[in-house]
Amino acid sequence: EDGIRDVERSRGLGDVYKRQEEYIDYFIGMRFHAIALAYLSAKPLLGIPYENKVLQFLKRYKYQNIVMPEDLNRKTLVDFLERAANIKL
C-alpha cells in the first residue's frame, strides 16, 4: 500500500509527501499548503497566488516566480518549466 489508504503506515499527509519528494522536480501551485510543501522541499516553484496570504508567503520567502492568476499564460508556464527542468520546450 502507498500509505495514503493504509492507515497503519500513514502518519498523515506530511508522511505521504516525504515519500514522494524524490519524484518531484518542481512545483506549480496556487493553494497555500502546496506552496508551503514546495518551500519545505526547496524545489523550484511557480506560485500562482489565489489570495493575499499566499502572495504574502511568496513575498516573505523571496520567491521570484510569482504570476497572478489573471496574468497566467502558456509562455509563463513554458518559461518556468524550461528553467526548472532545464529543458527546451
Side-chain angles (χ1 to χ4, degrees), residues 30-32 35 48-58 68-69:
M30 339 181 36
R31 306 287 298 196
F32 182 80
I35 289 170
I48 308 164
Y50 73 101
E51 62 179 30
N52 192 49
K53 73 177 178 181
V54 176
L55 181 59
Q56 294 310 312
F57 182 92
L58 291 167
M68 299 309 289

Side-chain angles (χ1 to χ4, degrees), residues 34-87:
I35 289 170
L37 289 173
Y39 169 77
L40 291 173
S41 72
K43 302 286 183 172
L45 165 70
L46 175 61
I48 308 164
Y50 73 101
E51 62 179 30
N52 192 49
K53 73 177 178 181
V54 176
L55 181 59
Q56 294 310 312
F57 182 92
L58 291 167
K59 287 181 176 181
R60 178 177 183 180
Y61 293 103
K62 300 182 181 8
Y63 276 96
Q64 302 297 312
N65 298 312
I66 302 172
V67 178
M68 299 309 289
E70 60 271 13
D71 298 327
L72 185 62
N73 57 48
R74 183 182 185 282
K75 182 178 179 347
T76 304
L77 289 173
V78 168
D79 288 349
F80 170 75
L81 291 171
E82 287 179 346
R83 286 191 313 274
N86 198 26
I87 58 172

Side-chain angles (χ1 to χ4, degrees), residues 14-42:
D15 184 52
V16 173
Y17 169 74
K18 286 176 191 171
R19 286 183 273 129
Q20 302 301 318
E21 185 176 4
E22 67 185 275
Y23 303 108
I24 298 170
D25 296 320
Y26 50 83
F27 280 87
I28 298 173
M30 339 181 36
R31 306 287 298 196
F32 182 80
H33 290 102
I35 289 170
L37 289 173
Y39 169 77
L40 291 173
S41 72

